Amino acid sequence: MELTVLVVPECPHTAPLRERLARALEGRADVTVTWHEVADPEEARRLGMHGSPTLPADGTDPFARPGQEPSLSCRVGALPSVRQLREVIASG
């Protein structure tokens, strides 16, 4: 499985998510993570970015609020927990 994490430049949430993903992926040699920096609003819209960081799963953000429009912004609210990340990874 390959995961892509979408982040804006200098996002304060990048380091905490990187740590949580590392914990969620312990023992999972079958998953590759690519970090993609998004600096253009059109690219954010095209990629379905709902704030930085966004972790699309099968083309959708499992952590987006219902009805949330794509945007080049910081994610509002709490980051996904290690448990939530493991659930998304397991479903992929």
Side-chain angles (χ1 to χ4, degrees), residues 4-86:
T4 300
V5 181
L6 308 173
V7 296
V8 296
E10 300 180 32
C11 175
H13 302 303
T14 300
L17 183 65
R18 190 178 301 272
E19 180 182 313
R20 290 178 189 186
L21 260 178
R23 289 176 43 211
L25 294 172
E26 287 174 355
R28 297 282 314 247
D30 61 325
V31 180
T32 302
V33 179
T34 303
W35 294 80
H36 181 78
E37 197 169 273
V38 180
D40 176 68
E42 178 56 32
E43 183 181 25
R45 187 197 61 73
R46 183 176 50 79
L47 296 172
M49 183 177 201
H50 295 103
S52 180
T54 295
L55 180 68
D58 295 326
T60 60
D61 179 0
F63 304 111
R65 293 185 319 267
Q68 184 178 7
E69 294 293 321
S71 67
L72 183 67
S73 61
C74 276
R75 181 170 289 280
V76 177
L79 290 174
S81 67
V82 173
R83 180 188 56 77
Q84 290 172 311
L85 292 167
R86 284 182 179 142

